[in-house]
Amino acid sequence: MKRSLLSIPFLLIIFAIFLTGCTSNTTTIGNKGNTTTDIEENTKQPKGIKESNKEEKFYFTANEGGSINKIRVADNEVVSTIEVDGAVHNIQTSPNGELFAVTVVPTAEGGHGDMEMPGLVLFYNSQTDEIQNKVEVGNHPAHVVFTDDGRYGLVTNNEDNTVSVIDLSTYTVINTISTGEGPHGFRTSKDNKYAYVANMGEDTVSVINIEKMKEEKRITVGATPVTTDITSDGKTLVATLNGENKLAIIDVESESISKVDVGIGPAQVYIDAKDQFAYVANQGTPEKPSNTLSVIDIKEKKVITTIETGKGSHGVVVSPNNQFAYVTNMYENSVSIIDLETYTVTGTIQVGETPNGISIMD
């Protein structure tokens, strides 16, 4: 459902989103000794994404303090923590749930993200937590998204103004596509033809033609777009406007835009499986944190309710059955569990330091 503190395009992040930006079976990975050769030698399964028959479901948080939490859907228990050497910004499960991938900004001496070192995308087995592959991408990777057919993994490189395209049959970068300034959060269309990338350093969304591997056009949407999502029919695009405290609702064909007021400092947005509601996490800033989730009726273009969460609401996903929403609270190191029938918080889970992205298995 959809970047952390960084430099100039990240200036906007520092300024607004990433303004800061219980466990068992702990595994240490990332840059702490594992090499690509080590990973390949220890990986017996084929490199592509296979059909998964596993029944147990999980959701995962990317914690910028250097860890990943794996939480069981059935009882909301944190079942494992994976330690990573670097700032873990975003996380995404594969369409069949067999893998999850995270973007990692390597850590320099002193504990801060190193802008000079290329970023990484790490791929893990969702059931065993074992690392499957490590791919070097551009500088300061923000979000990673799988295409719905499981063929590609796309990664926004915030400092390079590019998207890396990873072929998941070989785990190699096969193309690098230019975008607008400060590419950050994005989603791909269900037909696997387009990616819609929010450019935080300007007021646009880049429309990436995945088949042609190029930026097709940019749509002007408003101040500091952070993330996007697209309805399953590909007709309606949404983008959070951090600089305006609004959600932009865009007709893809006509490019006409309606804007809906949400909370302070909107970060991520997630459209439910029925394409009925868009859920916007409002983060605010470290100095003036926000703590709400706005629920927007997409057709009516209005907020139907606002739910109080923890401080620094950032990442949001909705369960495939539309029963629950899960929101990361960056300034409280927690996840709020929200019942979408009653619009109430039914539980809060403590996770790692500065939880950012969140993703759930279908």
Side-chain angles (χ1 to χ4, degrees):
M1 310 277 103
K2 312 347 266 355
R3 113 155 105 256
S4 178
L5 341 67
L6 292 341
S7 103
I8 269 277
F10 257 64
L11 161 89
L12 300 165
I13 302 197
I14 302 180
F15 136 59
I17 327 206
F18 303 100
L19 320 139
T20 93
C22 97
T23 62
S24 61
N25 304 327
T26 300
T27 310
T28 301
I29 357 198
N31 297 331
K32 296 182 178 177
N34 277 353
T35 65
T36 302
T37 302
D38 295 330
I39 294 166
E40 290 175 349
E41 289 177 353
N42 293 328
T43 302
K44 304 298 184 183
Q45 65 186 55
K47 291 182 178 179
I49 299 177
K50 304 181 299 179
E51 193 72 27
S52 176
N53 296 316
K54 306 294 185 182
E55 293 184 1
E56 197 163 38
K57 303 294 184 182
F58 304 96
Y59 55 100
F60 304 83
T61 65
N63 309 315
E64 292 194 342
S67 68
I68 302 162
N69 285 120
K70 176 179 177 179
I71 305 161
R72 190 163 42 228
V73 170
D75 56 10
N76 295 306
E77 290 291 324
V78 176
V79 297
S80 64
T81 295
I82 302 167
E83 294 181 356
V84 179
D85 187 9
V88 188
H89 183 68
N90 188 248
I91 191 163
Q92 186 68 40
T93 58
S94 63
N96 61 15
E98 181 177 297
L99 301 175
F100 67 89
V102 296
T103 54
V104 179
V105 179
T107 304
E109 289 187 24
H112 300 290
D114 189 338
M115 312 301 174
E116 304 304 320
M117 296 175 63
L120 300 171
V121 177
L122 307 181
F123 294 87
Y124 297 86
N125 182 296
S126 297
Q127 296 293 327
T128 67
D129 301 350
E130 294 178 353
I131 192 165
Q132 304 297 290
N133 241 295
K134 175 168 62 175
V135 180
E136 187 175 288
V137 289
N139 289 306
H140 206 109
H143 282 219
V144 55
V145 172
F146 291 87
T147 54
D148 207 53
D149 57 7
R151 185 177 179 185
Y152 300 121
L154 277 64
V155 184
T156 47
N157 303 304
N158 182 262
E159 292 296 317
D160 294 344
N161 301 330
T162 61
V163 168
S164 295
V165 182
I166 301 170
D167 185 327
L168 294 175
S169 67
T170 60
Y171 289 104
T172 56
V173 174
I174 59 169
N175 216 313
T176 302
I177 303 169
S178 296
T179 64
E181 185 177 348
H184 187 244
F186 70 107
R187 291 291 175 183
T188 59
S189 58
K190 289 291 184 182
D191 61 8
N192 307 300
K193 292 182 178 180
Y194 295 99
Y196 298 90
V197 178
N199 297 312
M200 287 192 65
E202 54 187 57
D203 59 358
T204 68
V205 168
S206 289
V207 180
I208 304 295
N209 187 316
I210 299 172
E211 294 177 334
K212 296 180 179 180
M213 297 283 180
K214 69 175 186 178
E215 181 187 46
E216 194 166 275
K217 60 182 176 180
R218 295 180 198 173
I219 302 172
T220 300
V221 294
T224 322
V226 178
T227 56
T228 70
D229 205 350
I230 183 81
T231 54
S232 56
D233 61 8
K235 293 181 178 180
T236 304
L237 174 70
V238 296
T240 52
L241 303 179
N242 188 271
E244 297 183 24
N245 299 326
K246 297 180 187 293
L247 178 73
I249 302 177
I250 304 111
D251 182 285
V252 173
E253 183 176 359
S254 68
E255 297 185 15
S256 62
I257 300 176
S258 300
K259 295 182 180 180
V260 180
D261 291 325
V262 292
I264 304 299
Q268 290 193 17
V269 58
Y270 195 96
I271 295 176
D272 70 8
K274 294 181 179 179
D275 293 330
Q276 185 175 5
F277 301 113
Y279 297 85
V280 175
N282 303 303
Q283 179 180 329
T285 67
E287 296 74 24
K288 295 182 178 179
S290 186
N291 63 337
T292 61
L293 181 73
S294 300
V295 183
I296 295 94
D297 185 306
I298 298 172
K299 184 177 180 181
E300 297 296 325
K301 298 180 175 61
K302 66 179 183 180
V303 174
I304 62 166
T305 192
T306 300
I307 304 161
E308 186 174 323
T309 60
K311 292 180 180 179
S313 306
H314 183 93
V316 55
V317 290
V318 175
S319 61
N321 60 11
N322 288 337
Q323 290 183 353
F324 295 97
Y326 305 90
V327 178
T328 56
N329 304 309
M330 292 186 73
Y331 308 140
E332 293 186 357
N333 300 335
S334 67
V335 172
S336 295
I337 304 163
I338 299 167
D339 186 316
L340 295 180
E341 183 175 347
T342 62
Y343 293 127
T344 57
V345 174
T346 59
T348 301
I349 304 168
Q350 292 302 126
V351 292
E353 181 184 350
T354 319
N356 190 312
I358 186 168
S359 189
I360 190 169
M361 296 169 64
D362 287 337

